[in-house]
């Protein structure tokens, strides 16, 4: 079905297509358009290929086709892709239809849960030979669904054959028996799978797993490239001048960029120097940063046998490196199969196979649902071969479709203490990755794993390339901090609580069981070390006391009125900010100021008691474990020891938290949730430079730190000083942007929308954001420094845009929509959208920022830094603020064909600081505009930029067409290439001539003489 919207109550069915297959494999089809009663949103015509209002006008009404459709369907089972959606629509509009529905998404989720996506377009391109885009037309989508279903079933049988699991039992025997164990019926798909006609295999478009061997071709290419380097064998950067090496990718026009060359050259020199082995490089967007550092990395691996770790901050960039950039660079250099790479995360990001099988075996939920059981089967199918099991990689749609999955996964995530890959007999993904690390050339990780690098035995941290390195400064404090969270600590205490006393403890019973177990491992440990009943009772008393003291901390906030004066979490440094005011309370007929002081005192005194009780438990263990009689190698002993180690770590952390030494460089932060149901105590070391030097810099042979935003006021000292890089031999380089920011980006400051605290700020801002989308006829990304403002603006825009053809989204979910240049989309994003949003061309024309991303002056961490290092607010705030603004601005210029408007809604009136900020915007001037002149200003800038963009683009495409000399029709080729670059222009021959082109780009038409472009 194609519909005019997502909600059946206010949307209509516009088209129905169906294919009927009877017992004897006779095939018949049904296809009809349906006349609409209400306006169809324009994006539907964009989405559904060749659907037009004209055709819908000629179509019959729904009532006129209903009977034919019902007769065609009869009592058949209906298979569709996304049953929830189709069933909902059919139920509402054709209530007479009572057929059974089967969902091909569910089939895909159960049989191939490792897929990244489950939409029809993705599945068909992945598992069938049809690589054409989904048409979003009813009948053609139905045929695609049939192809996908066939492919899924055939590939399932193929896998069973490979696993040698084809027996006399039906194909779905294992799935159905597990369901039957819980008295549930066979899986709905079983009948279809088991009765499939496998003799038709050859007639389907199924793609089976195949190995491709390109080694021979690669060898030749590698030799050619080696020759190209001539006498300068080490001067890898010279390869960037060889267009042929990099041009190979379809739809990609390679251009030499001096900035990329400089980046590669400096990295190559740093890898091969005896002196400054640390380089900090600011590499602006658009220079091809990833290829710029991967080229020397790959060649250092190949020719100098170095092993490299590449660290990035965002998951998006890690995926891009692994899926796109690394294979592209390796292929381009003819090194396929000769340079190994992969990425690894911390243990708890993986599903543990051994935990899973135990969980599956012991699973005894009363009356589980079919989806509960299917979720367990999905996990099994996912991890079975040991190739998958990275929790973060599990598709969002899979988790949405099987809501029960998350809970099961939580229970089978790898246990940091128990997992010992060297001794484990399972072939899980985590073990596989740890083993691969030993010989892996390039390993991609995230910054926090790098900071605590736990795989030194497998791969020492010798050569690192850190991308998005500016993040190390802000996140660095987190890397080295320690914390106790109330909820986690409670769970931990329950884990070590002797079960025989649990029923008499009111505290124990209050805690929801996360994992139902018959005998807890800790009880087996207590029995292993032969702990007496009285000793266990003593432990339970100590734990009860700890529970009680923790509850008191939260109750204090409620009883003393703190909960009445705040809607936000409380955060403060317990020694430095104790006299700060939390709010004012009306008590005993008068207003009283409430400070943090009493709360700091109660936290301290309660945790002193808690620490003393923890110490008593540790003493009990110390006295009662006789190392001579226990089996130190037994799993249960190791488990118990790991819990004791956790308890010791907690004691050490609490000891540090409770110390109150004036001169120490540590911040002790207490956070209480606004609902007063959770707290976190945190110890944050402030000597980041020392820690970074000791833990990271000192281990390195070579360290490359790259980012588009490392400098503030054209200097890198903020970065190098904070991380201690200034104390080691280093090189710093700022590479100039290759695009003319001043020309391509207009930075404006609306002057008449009021201050951010004024009542109508959100109203004015919403109005402006909508206006920018209308003026630019394009998408807008609006960045926010406050969650509340973001939500208020979203509500307002949502309301204002009900009858408009502009869509509005919140947060990262909406980023995808920016890639659609045909519609107008507004995406409102917070912190996470300041970076990692990479939308080229006309996808993103306008970025707005609600206010400067300043730090809260009372933020406990920064307050501690200011107090202990005697810094001003400006010293601490300004550099981080500049970097964030630069990051936001960087969203606009990603490629050669980018341009746009950057709006700073509220940046205050301090001319000095605004001028300073301006100096960091690559030459852009902040221009004041008001409601009257905003449209004129933006339109003028866009018109000028669009003319430049389209001219440059046509020159590039025509040049490339000549070089490629392919057979595509001239105009067809140009249009295809324009679309590849996300530019919203269309080209055709002018009238009947073949020497002039008519280019339509937004609301302007250009007449272009082909000869002149060719000569340019
Ligand atoms: S190696 Fe670790 S994660 Fe993998 S199955 Fe064994 S214990 Fe679980």
């Amino acid at each position: 079905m194609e519909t005019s919207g997502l909600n059946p109550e206010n949307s209509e069915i516009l088209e129905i297509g169906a294919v009927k297959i009877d017992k004897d494999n006779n095939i018949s089809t049904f296809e009809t358009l349906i006349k609409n009663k209400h306006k169809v949103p324009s994006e539907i015509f964009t989405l559904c290929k060749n659907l037009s209002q004209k055709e819908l006008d000629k179509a019959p009404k729904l009532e006129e086709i209903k009977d034919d459709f019902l007769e065609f369907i009869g009592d058949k089972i209906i298979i569709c892709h996304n049953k929830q959606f189709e069933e909902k629509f059919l139920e509402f509009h054709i209530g007479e239809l009572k057929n059974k529905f089967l969902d091909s998404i569910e089939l895909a989720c159960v049989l191939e849960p490792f897929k990244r996506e489950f939409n029809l377009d993705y599945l068909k391109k992945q598992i069938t030979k049809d690589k054409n885009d989904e048409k979003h037309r009813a009948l053609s989508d139905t045929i695609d669904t049939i192809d996908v279903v066939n492919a899924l079933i055939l590939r399932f049988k193929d896998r069973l054959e490979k696993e040698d699991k084809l027996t006399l039992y039906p194909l779905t025997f294992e799935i159905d028996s597990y369901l039957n164990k819980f008295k549930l019926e066979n899986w709905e798909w079983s009948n279809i799978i088991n009765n499939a006609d496998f003799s038709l295999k050859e007639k389907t478009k199924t793609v089976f797993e195949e190995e491709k061997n390109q080694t021979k071709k690669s060898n030749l290419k590698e030799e050619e490239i080696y020759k190209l380097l001539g006498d300068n064998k080490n001067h890898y950067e010279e390869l960037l001048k060889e267009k042929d090496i990099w041009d190979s990718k379809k739809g990609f026009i390679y251009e030499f960029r001096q900035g990329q060359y400089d980046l590669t050259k400096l990295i190559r020199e740093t890898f091969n120097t005896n002196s400054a082995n640390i380089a900090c490089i600011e590499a602006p967007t658009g220079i091809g940063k990833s290829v710029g550092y991967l080229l020397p990395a790959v060649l250092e691996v190949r020719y100098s046998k170095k092993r490299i770790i590449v660290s990035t901050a965002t998951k998006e960039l890690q995926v891009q490196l692994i899926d796109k950039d690394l294979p592209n660079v390796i292929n381009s250099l003819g090194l396929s199969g000769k340079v190994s790479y992969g990425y690894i995360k911390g243990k708890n990001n993986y599903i543990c196979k051994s935990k899973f099988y135990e969980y599956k075996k012991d699973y005894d939920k009363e009356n589980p649902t079919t989806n509960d059981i299917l979720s367990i089967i999905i996990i099994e199918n996912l991890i079975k071969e040991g190739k998958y099991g990275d929790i973060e990689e599990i598709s969002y749609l899979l988790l949405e479709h099987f809501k029960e999955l998350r809970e099961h996964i939580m229970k089978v995530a790898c246990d940091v203490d128990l997992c010992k890959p060297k001794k484990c007999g399972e072939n899980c993904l985590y073990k596989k990755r740890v083993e691969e690390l030993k010989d892996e050339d390039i390993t991609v990780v995230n910054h926090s794993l790098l900071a605590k690098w736990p795989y030194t035995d497998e791969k020492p941290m010798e050569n690192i390339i850190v991308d998005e390195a500016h993040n190390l400064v802000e996140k660095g404090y987190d890397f080295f901090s320690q914390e106790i969270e109330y909820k986690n600590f409670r769970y931990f205490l329950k884990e070590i609580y002797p079960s025989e006393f649990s029923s008499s403890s009111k505290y124990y019973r209050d805690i929801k069981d996360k994992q139902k177990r018959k005998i807890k491992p800790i009880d087996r440990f207590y029995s292993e070390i032969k702990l007496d009943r009285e000793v266990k009772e003593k432990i339970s008393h100590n734990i009860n006391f700890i529970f009680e003291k923790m509850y008191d901390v939260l109750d204090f906030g409620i009883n003393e009125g703190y909960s009445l004066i705040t809607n936000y979490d409380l955060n403060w440094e317990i020694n430095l900010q104790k006299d700060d005011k939390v709010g004012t309370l009306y008590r005993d007929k008068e207003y009283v100021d409430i400070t943090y002081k009493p709360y700091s005192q109660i936290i301290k005194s309660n945790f002193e008691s808690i620490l003393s009780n923890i110490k008593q438990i540790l003493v009990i263990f110390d006295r009662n474990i006789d190392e001579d009689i226990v089996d130190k190698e037994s799993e249960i002993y190791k488990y118990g020891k790991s819990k004791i180690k956790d308890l010791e770590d907690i004691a050490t952390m609490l000891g540090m938290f409770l110390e109150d030494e004036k001169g120490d460089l540590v911040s002790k932060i207490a956070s209480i949730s606004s609902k007063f149901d959770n707290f976190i105590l945190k110890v944050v070391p402030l000597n980041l430079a020392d820690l970074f030097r000791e833990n990271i810099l000192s281990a390195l042979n070579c360290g490359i730190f790259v980012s588009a935003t490392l400098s503030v006021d054209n200097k890198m000292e903020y970065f190098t000083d904070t991380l201690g890089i200034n104390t080691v031999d280093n090189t710093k380089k700022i590479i100039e942007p290759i695009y003319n920011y001043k020309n391509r980006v207009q930075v404006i400051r609306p002057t008449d929308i009021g201050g951010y605290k004024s009542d109508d700020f959100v109203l004015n801002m919403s109005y402006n954001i909508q206006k920018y989308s209308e003026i630019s006829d394009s998408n807008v990304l609006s960045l926010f420094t406050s969650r509340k403002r973001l939500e208020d603006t979203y509500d307002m825009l949502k309301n204002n845009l009900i009858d408009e053809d502009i869509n509005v989204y919140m947060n990262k979910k909406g980023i995808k929509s920016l890639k659609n240049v045909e519609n107008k989309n507004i995406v409102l994003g917070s912190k996470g959208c300041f970076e990692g949003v990479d939308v080229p061309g006309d996808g993103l024309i306008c970025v707005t920022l609600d206010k400067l991303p300043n730090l809260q002056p009372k933020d406990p961490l920064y307050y501690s830094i200011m107090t202990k290092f005697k810094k001003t607010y400006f010293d601490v705030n300004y550099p981080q603020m500049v970097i964030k603004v630069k990051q936001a601005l960087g969203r606009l210029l990603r490629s050669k064909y980018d341009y746009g408007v950057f709006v700073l809604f509220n940046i205050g009136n301090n001319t000095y600081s605004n001028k300073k900020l301006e100096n960091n915007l690559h030459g852009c001037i902040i221009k004041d505009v008001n409601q009257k002149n905003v449209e004129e200003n933006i339109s003028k800038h866009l018109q000028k930029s669009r003319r430049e963009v389209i001219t440059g683009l046509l020159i590039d495409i025509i040049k490339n067409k000549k070089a490629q000399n392919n057979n595509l029709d001239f105009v067809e080729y140009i249009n295809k290439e324009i679309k590849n670059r996300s530019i919203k222009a269309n080209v055709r021959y002018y009238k009947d001539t073949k020497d002039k082109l008519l280019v339509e780009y937004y609301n302007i038409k250009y007449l272009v003489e082909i000869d002149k472009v060719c000569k340019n």
Side-chain angles (χ1 to χ4, degrees), residues 225 228-229 232 235-247 252-268 287-297 299 329 332-333 735:
I225 284 167
L228 274 176
L229 281 169
N232 283 332
H235 290 198
Y236 313 139
E237 61 278 8
E238 295 302 320
L239 292 177
L240 291 168
K241 293 178 180 163
E242 302 294 333
K243 195 169 181 295
D244 289 348
I245 297 179
W246 310 104
D247 241 358
F252 176 76
I253 305 172
Y254 176 76
E255 264 186 30
F256 173 77
R257 283 160 287 184
Q258 187 61 43
Q260 190 180 44
Y261 178 91
D262 294 345
L263 173 70
T264 303
K265 182 167 182 273
L266 180 53
I267 295 178
R268 189 258 302 159
I287 68 157
K289 185 161 47 92
S290 309
V291 173
Y293 64 71
L294 289 178
L295 167 64
L299 293 179
V329 171
S332 298
L333 297 171
I735 296 172

Side-chain angles (χ1 to χ4, degrees), residues 351-354 414 418-421 424 426 428 430-431:
I351 295 175
C352 170
K353 252 178 128 171
S354 99
C414 174
L418 287 183
C419 167
K420 302 277 177 275
C424 179
E426 296 286 357
C428 75
Y430 177 65
K431 185 177 166 186

Side-chain angles (χ1 to χ4, degrees), residues 185-196:
E185 286 180 13
N186 285 357
W187 185 30
E188 286 187 320
W189 273 97
S190 292
N191 209 14
I192 291 197
I193 296 175
N194 297 332
N195 293 314

Side-chain angles (χ1 to χ4, degrees), residues 111 153-154 156-158 160-161 165-176 187 190 192-196 198:
L111 298 188
I153 296 175
L154 285 164
F156 175 53
K157 181 163 180 273
D158 191 53
L160 290 180
E161 268 163 18
K165 280 208 178 148
L166 275 198
T167 59
L168 292 174
Y169 294 121
L171 294 177
T172 57
F173 177 73
E174 282 187 17
I175 300 175
D176 291 334
W187 185 30
S190 292
I192 291 197
I193 296 175
N194 297 332
N195 293 314
F198 291 98

Side-chain angles (χ1 to χ4, degrees), residues 609-668:
S609 311
I610 288 173
L611 179 58
S612 137
N613 273 272
I614 293 176
K615 284 181 179 165
Q616 287 174 34
I617 300 174
L618 287 170
V619 170
I620 293 178
F621 286 133
D622 195 41
R623 284 190 187 146
N624 286 280
I625 298 179
D626 186 346
E627 301 268 350
D628 293 335
I629 59 162
V630 291
D631 175 4
K632 284 193 226 146
E633 286 308 308
S634 79
E635 286 306 310
I636 205 62
Y637 178 74
K638 284 185 205 157
Y639 171 83
K641 281 296 259 189
S642 76
K643 294 293 152 196
I644 296 173
K645 169 82 176 57
D646 288 345
L647 203 58
E648 284 167 354
D649 290 346
I650 291 167
T652 314
M653 184 263 157
L654 279 180
M656 277 157 66
F657 186 85
L658 295 168
E659 247 172 44
D660 182 14
E661 269 188 44
K662 286 275 168 307
D664 66 356
L665 292 178
V666 179
S667 180
K668 289 124 190 195

